[in-house]
Amino acid sequence: MAQGKIKAFVLDTNVLLHSSASISCFKDNDVVIPMAVIEELDKFKKNSDELGRNARRVIRLLDRLREKFPGCSGNPERGLPLAEITPDATGKLFVLGAGMLENGNTKEADKVFDNELLIDSPDNRILRVACFLRSRGRHVVFISKDINLRLKADALGLKVMDFEREKVREVERYTGFSEKSVPQKLIDEAYSKKELSGTAAEEIFTNGFVNLISQTDEKKQLLMRKNCSGKLQLISHKTEKVWNLSPRNKEQKMALDLLLDPEIKLVTLLGGAGTGKTLLALAAALAQTLDGGSYEKILVSRPVIPLGNDIGFLPGSKDAKLASWMQPIFDNLEFLTGGEAERKPKSSSRCSAESLLNSRKIELEALTYIRGRSIPNQFIIIDEAQNLTPHEVKTIISRCGSGSKMVLTGDPAQIDNPYLDSSGNGLSYTVERLKGENIYGHVTLRKSERSELAALAAKKL
């Protein structure tokens, strides 16, 4: 294998399962896939989910390269050219087992593996390959999304990293809005003209919001959104009440402004528990579908990932199975069609949640069945999108047909997918990659409005 400054990135199985394109992300360096990883991919290849699809993609890619360059993949001195995957790459791809590299000085590593890290564990066999490569003078970097395995690799003296190509640093995550202190006369001008241009609109992404605060009186504020022409515009008065739901803070008002704008085709809403993400999306969907007639129906879906231990097999039809997973959606529908103190009594509400479902104006669908579909003229809500990978989000958004609008909601702090974290999930990735696009808008909701107890839990626990 090539020596010198070229690094050897040893990939763990979960990296390939997370993104089948990860092999092509190390252009000027070598990529090493341990033999134990191939064994683990074989266990996933029959799965019908995203993990199975990624496993199959990697296996097919390796097989195609093997056929084109016979005898090279397992040869520590030759390898497969990464240029066959990414044209401008200069590194090589290797599929190696520890036994292929045993002529190095590995006595110290052998002691650890023989006494503490049993070789019958696939994880330990993967680590052993990395250690053998290091013993041959290679600059080894071990890449894994498994925190425990990264800890073991670090204890063995290996340089370790998470797969960060699709990660967004949490402190840098785009919130969708900012605040600016400006002269009072500028606020007066913006209020009278309903728009504003110049320096106030600088450094703000298209469809991003800015709250202008008077330098002389902080109580005097004006909330505006940057349009596609680069000007700031007052947000719509229509956000004052939607489906009998009134926004309770500035972030909710901004969210409704995006949700009700027919020119915005994709909206992402991030926020903690009780901030109103799903409720706002459903209210806007009902108003535009049932009252406005802008969409034929509402499609609601969410990943089927349980909190805690799964309850196992659920009997009944698809709708009966989905009922348990969609209960949070039913709760929000009941709230919107029911009667709180400040709203109409339940008996006189326009329709009930049950009648909406029976009318087929609202369709609940499992994300499992969304692949391959084309969905035109619908208001699509994907709840709990923080549990989706970047590739899964791409697949879902690409289902959006002509005349449709899609809303992704989620809380990156509440992730149940074992292969994702707050910065590497599909929702955070979408926010970072699409900010500033003309048909996209985003708002991060901060304040919990569900109840005093919910707000306390979100803040303190």
Side-chain angles (χ1 to χ4, degrees), residues 232-243:
L232 297 178
Q233 285 187 325
L234 284 179
I235 66 173
S236 174
H237 67 280
K238 295 179 181 178
T239 61
E240 294 174 1
K241 204 165 194 179
V242 179
W243 197 261

Side-chain angles (χ1 to χ4, degrees), residues 172-179 203-211 223-226 235 250-251 254-255 258 268-270 431 435-436 440-446:
E172 298 176 355
R173 186 185 294 137
Y174 177 58
T175 61
F177 60 89
S178 60
E179 292 186 340
E203 299 180 357
I204 299 172
F205 288 102
T206 300
N207 294 321
F209 295 87
V210 59
N211 188 36
L223 194 57
M224 309 188 80
R225 172 157 66 103
K226 187 174 181 178
I235 66 173
K250 289 193 294 289
E251 288 88 355
M254 289 185 273
L258 294 173
T268 52
L269 300 178
L270 271 68
V431 173
K435 62 184 180 184
Y440 168 74
H442 167 75
V443 174
T444 298
L445 302 163
R446 293 175 174 173

Side-chain angles (χ1 to χ4, degrees), residues 369-384:
Y369 307 113
I370 206 168
R371 176 178 286 273
R373 291 187 62 183
S374 179
I375 309 173
N377 303 315
Q378 295 185 32
F379 195 108
I380 307 164
I381 300 173
I382 308 297
D383 199 23
E384 301 292 334

Side-chain angles (χ1 to χ4, degrees), residues 158-216:
L158 294 167
K159 183 177 180 180
V160 297
M161 291 176 61
D162 191 359
F163 181 65
E164 297 184 340
R165 187 192 182 205
E166 297 170 337
K167 296 190 75 169
V168 180
R169 292 184 63 183
E170 197 165 349
V171 293
E172 298 176 355
R173 186 185 294 137
Y174 177 58
T175 61
F177 60 89
S178 60
E179 292 186 340
K180 283 191 177 185
S181 180
V182 297
Q184 178 62 43
K185 65 178 182 179
L186 198 64
I187 291 181
D188 295 337
E189 178 189 345
Y191 187 78
S192 61
K193 294 181 178 180
K194 310 301 180 185
E195 67 177 27
L196 191 64
S197 58
T199 57
E202 292 177 356
E203 299 180 357
I204 299 172
F205 288 102
T206 300
N207 294 321
F209 295 87
V210 59
N211 188 36
L212 302 179
I213 304 174
S214 173
Q215 293 174 347
T216 55

Side-chain angles (χ1 to χ4, degrees), residues 236-384:
S236 174
H237 67 280
K238 295 179 181 178
T239 61
E240 294 174 1
K241 204 165 194 179
V242 179
W243 197 261
N244 286 333
L245 181 72
S246 299
R248 296 184 176 182
N249 54 54
K250 289 193 294 289
E251 288 88 355
Q252 288 191 356
K253 194 170 185 178
M254 289 185 273
L256 282 175
D257 188 60
L258 294 173
L259 291 167
L260 296 172
D261 187 343
E263 299 301 317
I264 305 296
K265 302 301 181 183
L266 176 65
V267 177
T268 52
L269 300 178
L270 271 68
T275 52
K277 307 177 296 294
T278 309
L279 186 66
L280 292 168
L282 276 172
L286 290 167
Q288 295 173 89
T289 303
L290 300 187
D291 295 344
S294 301
Y295 305 97
E296 293 179 359
K297 62 180 179 179
I298 303 166
L299 175 64
V300 184
S301 188
R302 64 202 309 260
V304 184
I305 298 179
L307 172 63
N309 293 328
D310 196 351
I311 60 175
F313 173 77
L314 295 173
S317 63
K318 183 190 78 170
D319 290 342
K321 295 176 189 291
L322 281 175
S324 298
W325 297 108
M326 294 296 181
Q327 191 57 50
I329 306 300
F330 295 142
D331 292 342
N332 283 294
L333 282 175
E334 288 290 346
F335 175 83
L336 290 170
T337 59
E340 278 212 335
E342 73 264 17
R343 302 177 56 219
K344 296 179 181 180
K346 184 174 275 190
S347 59
S348 63
S349 62
R350 280 175 281 187
C351 51
S352 67
E354 185 177 356
S355 65
L356 281 173
L357 292 169
N358 291 336
S359 68
R360 309 302 293 179
K361 280 292 184 180
I362 295 184
E363 179 183 349
L364 306 180
E365 183 64 275
L367 278 178
T368 306
Y369 307 113
I370 206 168
R371 176 178 286 273
R373 291 187 62 183
S374 179
I375 309 173
N377 303 315
Q378 295 185 32
F379 195 108
I380 307 164
I381 300 173
I382 308 297
D383 199 23
E384 301 292 334

Side-chain angles (χ1 to χ4, degrees), residues 67-242:
E67 290 181 343
K68 191 167 184 178
F69 302 93
C72 290
S73 62
N75 188 326
E77 307 302 330
R78 297 179 67 185
L80 302 166
L82 285 173
E84 291 293 320
I85 305 172
T86 307
D88 58 343
T90 59
K92 293 182 178 180
L93 172 65
F94 300 87
V95 179
L96 300 174
M100 301 173 180
L101 304 160
E102 284 182 347
N103 59 339
N105 180 15
T106 60
K107 292 181 179 179
E108 293 301 319
D110 282 342
K111 287 180 182 179
V112 177
F113 284 105
D114 292 340
N115 297 327
E116 299 180 39
L117 301 177
L118 300 179
I119 204 64
D120 58 350
S121 165
D123 285 352
N124 294 340
R125 294 202 298 275
I126 293 170
L127 287 177
R128 192 156 191 165
V129 169
C131 287
F132 273 113
L133 282 171
R134 181 184 58 181
S135 73
R136 297 191 64 170
R138 294 306 308 270
H139 183 178
V140 176
V141 182
F142 180 63
I143 310 293
S144 177
K145 299 191 72 62
D146 186 330
I147 298 174
N148 191 53
L149 195 52
R150 293 206 300 266
L151 289 172
K152 290 199 291 185
D154 184 70
L156 290 168
L158 294 167
K159 183 177 180 180
V160 297
M161 291 176 61
D162 191 359
F163 181 65
E164 297 184 340
R165 187 192 182 205
E166 297 170 337
K167 296 190 75 169
V168 180
R169 292 184 63 183
E170 197 165 349
V171 293
E172 298 176 355
R173 186 185 294 137
Y174 177 58
T175 61
F177 60 89
S178 60
E179 292 186 340
K180 283 191 177 185
S181 180
V182 297
Q184 178 62 43
K185 65 178 182 179
L186 198 64
I187 291 181
D188 295 337
E189 178 189 345
Y191 187 78
S192 61
K193 294 181 178 180
K194 310 301 180 185
E195 67 177 27
L196 191 64
S197 58
T199 57
E202 292 177 356
E203 299 180 357
I204 299 172
F205 288 102
T206 300
N207 294 321
F209 295 87
V210 59
N211 188 36
L212 302 179
I213 304 174
S214 173
Q215 293 174 347
T216 55
D217 186 357
E218 290 187 355
K219 292 182 179 180
K220 294 183 178 180
Q221 302 179 7
L222 201 61
L223 194 57
M224 309 188 80
R225 172 157 66 103
K226 187 174 181 178
N227 59 25
C228 298
S229 62
K231 295 181 179 180
L232 297 178
Q233 285 187 325
L234 284 179
I235 66 173
S236 174
H237 67 280
K238 295 179 181 178
T239 61
E240 294 174 1
K241 204 165 194 179
V242 179

